[in-house]
Amino acid sequence: MNGDSHADLLQPPSNIEPTVLERTASHYTPLPTYQLPKGEHRHYQQQYADMYFARLAQLKPAVEQIASEAWADFEIGGETASRKDRVLDVRQGELCWVAGTVYMEMPLKPNVLEDIGKEHWIAAPPPRVKYDTGVGLGGDSERGAHAGGGKGLAGAQIMLEDESGRLRLTGGYLSGGLLVTGAIVAVMGTENSDGDFEVLDLRVPDLPRQPPRWETEDGDAALQGKSVTKKRPSSGKVAIISGLGVSGVEGDTLLLDLLLEYLLGESTDPASQQQAASISRLIIAGNSLSHSSPIPSREELAAATKKGGRKTYGYDSASYNAAPTDHLDQWLATLLPSIPITLLPGEQDPTSTSLPQQPIHAAMFPHSRAYMNPPTAPEGPGWFDSTTNPAEFSADGWRFLGTGGQPVDDVYKYLPDCEERLEMMEAMLRWRLTAPTAPDTLWCYPFQDGDQFVMKECPHVFLVGNQPKFETTVVEGPLGQQVRVLAVPRFKETGELILLDCETLVPEIVRFEVLDEG
Amino acid sequence: MPPKRKSSGPRAVPTRTPSNPQSTLSFHGKQNKVTKPGVAPVTKQLKKDPALLEEIARTEIKTDSTPEPKESTTASAAITQRSDEEAQNLAAPSPHPAADPLDTLGGRAQTSDVGAAGGKTGAGWLADEEAQARSVTETQIKQYWRQKEAMRLAPRVHQEGMTVYEKVLREWDMSGQFGTTEAVGEVRECGDADENVKPCIGIARLKRWKRANALGLKPPVEVLAVLLRETEGGNGKAQRAYVDELMSSRFVET
């Protein structure tokens, strides 16, 4: 009861030393999957076609294997489905299946030529919530994500593409599933008289192989010749938060201070302090700063040029406000002596705007820098890990894959009737793509040798930051893989902190609220 | 109004120059030039069509024998830089089996079946392709080329002056761009699949071979042998696809 726990605090002075709580240690191995080469080794001369080609080449074997297993003995009217190598090899009236990349043609998708044409004439349109115009006409009989497009009405057009060409897809089947540009799928059906391919069935690559727990650490030790420790200590919990939104303008940062005191074990009663002591790591999943993106939005640019001031590109050094980063740095530096932190950048953070976003530079954190290792250190990032977005790392043996939310937000724009973000995250896992819509509507680095967004191994935890509310589920794969999917809400709006138990992978919420007096 | 002169008489044709010996002020003419002598006079020649003027029609436009721009474009500079890196990697192979982090994607790929980053051995090789390629003999390359020629109905035209190496490399560039020449359903004679290794623009040939190899597309090892020989022979131009040079050419037809 509360009265008993407060008895420790409300007592006369004595010589008994109170027990000092120790924080559980965190085992952490970051993986450099999304780190780009530095400096002059980063090339931008290549086209994005290389990326699409590599993505198809990497995922086609997997999807074709699943498709051939599923449709090997499929028969309609005495006809079996045959496999076609190229998308354009389908013949009218012949039942066949083929694999390729999905491309969706949507009326409201950003078109760079239209943007350039309109830039001079009209004000910037408000950012689109969805790329599609919405439900097509007479869509009563079809529900689902692509009701309009499935009927071929004013809505999205779905096409299948590979090196040989493009094939338009139709059929009522399409409205049932989620499809976005860039997903690799295998479709079975036949070509109708219009030249469109009527889809009867669809298969995706599904989840890749999932490494067992502790594989990253054991694999490393085996490579270095050390003996593999069989016994691992029991892990604690991992705290996950997103969307701190430090702006430096608002005076009310009470929520952040409450969070700080909770994590440090300074507030609440000893029982909660015990719980806080079991938190071994804090993961900040994006948008720690409120609007520090280096590229000004269209409205800001219009305001800057309208004022008639000097035309400065980038930021205006006279009006640069260092308060937000300073505040964030002080906050982190207060936490860091006690708890290790992993910081992922988000859409509004001061780092590159194209995926994969590179780590926020140590120069932004003059105080927290003491806890970071220099970039070329062989032992890795260290206590304070400013990492990429998306990021892959191994914490307490479990493989985590985290993003700051941009891929899921972009997928959300493609689906006109779907509001279920968990379904989108599950679909991204089944497509094996961390960012399926890159490079179509999501800016990204032009990878040449292989698409880095293809998931080669299935994570144990897939966390996505900056979502409107907290949601979680477990996704199961065909080979027994289990992934805990977490949608992390914005702390600034909801005040929720997620604690993920590292033994059972079950999340729980701690909510911070400031009650208004008036 | 100028004062009436008695000498002018009945004014049939008004003239400007009177017979009066008194000199008049004039601001035109060669003697009264106000402009400096160095300025070129405005000629009326430009009003005419320049194509009709003989001088311009006879001018000789000096054409370079090899029309290469003096400063290379950034794209070609990027490709030559990366092919130089490849050449260096070939010259000094990495000593330990851990993958070279700088090479392909700037990241060490975890153990995976279909990976795109540098494989188990260093510098982007999956197994001992380099050793295999070095052991390929000239006759093997010629045999490979004869097989390729045999697959076509007619011999290639416009390729008479090229060496076999050059022909092999150009075929390598183009592989995957056209589909199968046989009808659907026929068994291909050539064992390895030459398709699906494109695109060939914007990437060095050796890197393209390594990428195709890493993605499991089984590019022919004879092409690798030719590439290695060309790089070691000091022919840096062989790293860039010929169509790449054509497509990025800065010379516009006049």
Side-chain angles (χ1 to χ4, degrees):
Chain A
M1 266 307 296
N2 266 346
D4 293 331
S5 60
H6 287 314
D8 289 339
L9 300 172
L10 299 170
Q11 62 177 340
S14 66
N15 287 336
I16 308 169
E17 290 281 335
T19 51
V20 177
L21 295 170
E22 290 265 333
R23 195 181 287 282
T24 324
S26 161
H27 299 270
Y28 182 72
T29 317
L31 297 170
T33 325
Y34 292 102
Q35 279 185 1
L36 293 176
K38 302 254 185 308
E40 58 172 25
H41 296 285
R42 207 184 285 190
H43 297 281
Y44 289 91
Q45 313 306 325
Q46 56 271 23
Q47 304 271 335
Y48 286 111
D50 285 330
M51 210 168 132
Y52 276 120
F53 157 71
R55 188 186 284 183
L56 186 62
Q58 284 174 272
L59 289 178
K60 205 167 176 179
V63 75
E64 285 191 337
Q65 192 191 4
I66 290 188
S68 57
E69 278 169 26
W71 296 325
D73 46 0
F74 183 84
E75 248 191 58
I76 276 191
E79 199 182 342
T80 54
S82 60
R83 177 181 169 258
K84 295 290 181 219
D85 272 333
R86 304 186 305 155
V87 156
L88 292 182
D89 283 341
V90 299
R91 298 280 170 262
Q92 225 174 71
E94 194 183 323
L95 189 70
C96 55
W97 64 269
V98 71
T101 315
V102 172
Y103 176 71
M104 293 186 66
E105 179 108 18
M106 313 195 90
L108 295 179
K109 221 158 68 163
N111 187 349
V112 63
L113 296 175
E114 281 176 28
D115 280 349
I116 291 177
K118 286 183 195 163
E119 200 166 287
H120 299 290
W121 307 119
I122 58 176
R128 306 257 157 69
V129 179
K130 297 272 192 188
Y131 288 144
D132 201 348
T133 47
V135 186
L137 309 165
D140 279 329
S141 55
E142 289 177 23
R143 284 278 165 256
H146 300 293
K151 279 198 168 179
L153 297 171
Q157 275 186 28
I158 307 178
M159 303 187 211
L160 192 72
E161 181 179 315
D162 76 351
E163 295 99 11
S164 60
R166 265 187 199 175
L167 186 67
R168 192 177 315 161
L169 303 178
T170 50
Y173 191 89
L174 291 175
S175 53
L178 300 182
L179 284 177
V180 293
T181 302
I184 312 283
V185 297
V187 289
M188 190 213 7
T190 178
E191 185 183 341
N192 63 11
S193 49
D194 291 333
D196 299 341
F197 192 78
E198 278 211 30
V199 176
L200 297 171
D201 199 4
L202 191 138
R203 286 284 185 271
V204 292
D206 230 321
L207 298 176
R209 172 199 163 259
Q210 191 176 54
R213 195 181 173 189
W214 298 113
E215 190 192 85
T216 329
E217 283 79 9
D218 290 344
D220 269 357
L223 263 181
Q224 290 166 14
K226 288 191 212 151
S227 62
V228 174
T229 50
K230 288 287 190 269
K231 190 172 165 315
R232 298 274 184 182
S234 68
S235 326
K237 301 187 186 180
V238 168
I240 307 169
I241 199 165
S242 159
L244 293 174
V246 175
S247 64
V249 175
E250 295 169 357
D252 184 16
T253 52
L254 200 51
L255 272 182
L256 282 181
D257 289 338
L258 285 177
L259 174 64
L260 185 76
E261 288 177 4
Y262 172 75
L263 287 173
L264 287 177
E266 285 174 6
S267 63
T268 66
D269 57 301
S272 305
Q273 286 176 354
Q274 194 93 28
Q275 196 194 34
S278 67
I279 299 176
S280 60
R281 177 165 283 272
L282 172 67
I283 300 175
I284 306 181
N287 281 356
S288 318
L289 293 167
S290 141
H291 53 263
S292 299
S293 175
I295 296 182
S297 64
R298 221 181 193 180
E299 289 81 12
E300 284 174 8
L301 204 56
T305 48
K306 206 188 296 185
K307 256 190 283 191
R310 323 176 259 129
K311 210 172 177 188
T312 55
Y313 298 99
Y315 73 93
D316 188 2
S317 54
S319 66
Y320 175 64
N321 188 7
T325 39
D326 200 37
H327 191 162
L328 178 68
D329 186 37
Q330 294 283 2
W331 190 82
L332 289 173
T334 322
L335 265 184
L336 275 169
S338 161
I339 184 171
I341 298 183
T342 303
L343 177 66
L344 273 75
E347 200 180 336
Q348 295 157 357
D349 285 328
T351 177
S352 43
T353 43
S354 60
L355 294 190
Q357 280 180 300
Q358 294 305 290
I360 302 180
H361 202 270
M364 308 294 291
F365 305 122
H367 299 280
S368 315
R369 206 165 31 203
Y371 298 91
M372 287 168 93
N373 279 351
T376 49
E379 64 266 11
W383 194 255
F384 176 38
D385 186 15
S386 177
T387 181
T388 56
N389 171 29
E392 202 175 2
F393 50 88
S394 166
D396 293 325
W398 303 109
R399 187 71 71 86
F400 280 67
L401 176 64
T403 72
Q406 291 113 310
V408 175
D409 289 339
D410 209 48
V411 169
Y412 174 82
K413 289 188 191 166
Y414 271 81
L415 306 171
D417 289 324
C418 187
E419 298 286 330
E420 292 295 313
R421 289 186 182 244
L422 277 186
E423 271 188 37
M424 298 176 205
M425 292 179 214
E426 182 183 340
M428 280 163 65
L429 282 172
R430 296 209 190 269
W431 292 326
R432 293 197 201 180
L433 291 170
T434 320
T437 54
D440 191 25
T441 38
L442 202 56
W443 295 347
C444 79
Y445 174 74
F447 291 111
Q448 192 169 47
D449 296 311
D451 188 3
Q452 227 19 353
F453 294 118
V454 169
M455 285 183 214
K456 300 192 179 72
E457 275 161 341
C458 188
H460 296 107
V461 179
F462 181 43
L463 56 98
V464 179
N466 293 301
Q467 301 303 298
K469 61 183 202 289
F470 169 68
E471 288 172 306
T472 179
T473 182
V474 176
V475 171
E476 305 215 346
L479 301 170
Q481 302 101 323
Q482 292 208 338
V483 188
R484 162 71 60 183
V485 176
L486 284 174
V488 186
R490 294 177 204 120
F491 185 75
K492 191 158 184 187
E493 292 162 17
T494 58
E496 289 176 356
L497 165 77
I498 300 180
L499 291 180
L500 184 71
D501 188 327
C502 276
E503 289 297 326
T504 57
L505 287 186
V506 172
E508 55 186 20
I509 293 207
V510 178
R511 182 177 293 136
F512 298 86
E513 254 183 77
V514 175
L515 300 170
D516 252 344
E517 293 284 309
Chain B
M1 284 282 297
K4 196 167 176 203
R5 295 194 186 89
K6 290 188 190 142
S7 57
S8 59
R11 289 175 49 123
V13 175
T15 53
R16 273 205 179 184
T17 53
S19 48
N20 197 328
Q22 183 185 15
S23 64
T24 56
L25 291 174
S26 79
F27 297 104
H28 59 274
K30 211 166 174 186
Q31 305 164 316
N32 303 20
K33 231 177 175 181
V34 186
T35 55
K36 290 187 189 161
V39 174
V42 175
T43 56
K44 289 199 190 128
Q45 261 185 343
L46 288 175
K47 297 253 172 71
K48 291 194 197 157
D49 192 353
L52 298 176
L53 287 177
E54 273 192 36
E55 292 104 330
I56 295 181
R58 267 194 283 116
T59 320
E60 283 153 331
I61 302 171
K62 285 195 216 65
T63 52
D64 293 305
S65 52
T66 56
E68 290 246 332
K70 290 196 182 55
E71 62 278 1
S72 55
T73 57
T74 44
S76 57
I79 292 184
T80 43
Q81 184 200 13
R82 277 180 288 183
S83 50
D84 286 342
E85 278 172 27
E86 296 290 331
Q88 279 172 18
N89 278 339
L90 287 175
S94 47
H96 56 88
D100 188 11
L102 204 58
D103 189 285
T104 40
L105 283 167
R108 174 172 64 98
Q110 291 301 294
T111 56
S112 55
D113 305 323
V114 184
K120 306 277 187 331
T121 59
W125 302 114
L126 286 182
D128 59 343
E129 292 93 4
E130 208 182 328
Q132 270 184 11
R134 285 185 205 280
S135 66
V136 166
T137 57
E138 283 278 334
T139 45
Q140 245 178 310
I141 296 177
K142 291 210 169 62
Q143 173 95 4
Y144 166 76
W145 185 243
R146 253 179 273 133
Q147 262 186 349
K148 284 262 163 204
E149 292 263 306
M151 272 169 54
R152 293 169 70 109
L153 291 176
R156 291 174 162 81
V157 291
H158 305 306
Q159 281 195 349
E160 287 85 7
M162 293 199 299
T163 63
V164 177
Y165 282 6
E166 183 68 26
K167 291 187 211 177
V168 166
L169 288 179
R170 287 207 188 181
E171 172 68 21
W172 163 243
D173 286 340
M174 287 297 118
S175 60
Q177 194 146 5
F178 312 106
T180 53
T181 47
E182 305 96 25
V184 173
E186 256 184 71
V187 176
R188 305 170 57 95
E189 286 147 11
C190 197
D192 37 28
D194 282 335
E195 291 194 335
N196 305 332
V197 290
K198 70 167 182 103
C200 70
I201 292 185
I203 187 171
R205 279 170 173 159
L206 188 57
K207 270 186 85 74
R208 186 160 165 253
W209 198 97
K210 282 190 193 170
R211 176 177 78 180
N213 197 26
L215 291 173
L217 303 168
K218 298 191 192 54
V221 71
E222 289 88 358
V223 173
L224 180 61
V226 168
L227 276 172
L228 291 177
R229 276 167 219 228
E230 289 279 328
T231 22
E232 275 150 24
N235 186 6
K237 264 186 65 132
Q239 280 301 326
R240 196 157 174 226
Y242 186 60
V243 272
D244 202 354
E245 286 178 37
L246 290 178
M247 297 284 276
S248 58
S249 165
R250 300 203 304 185
F251 282 91
V252 182
E253 298 234 332
T254 47

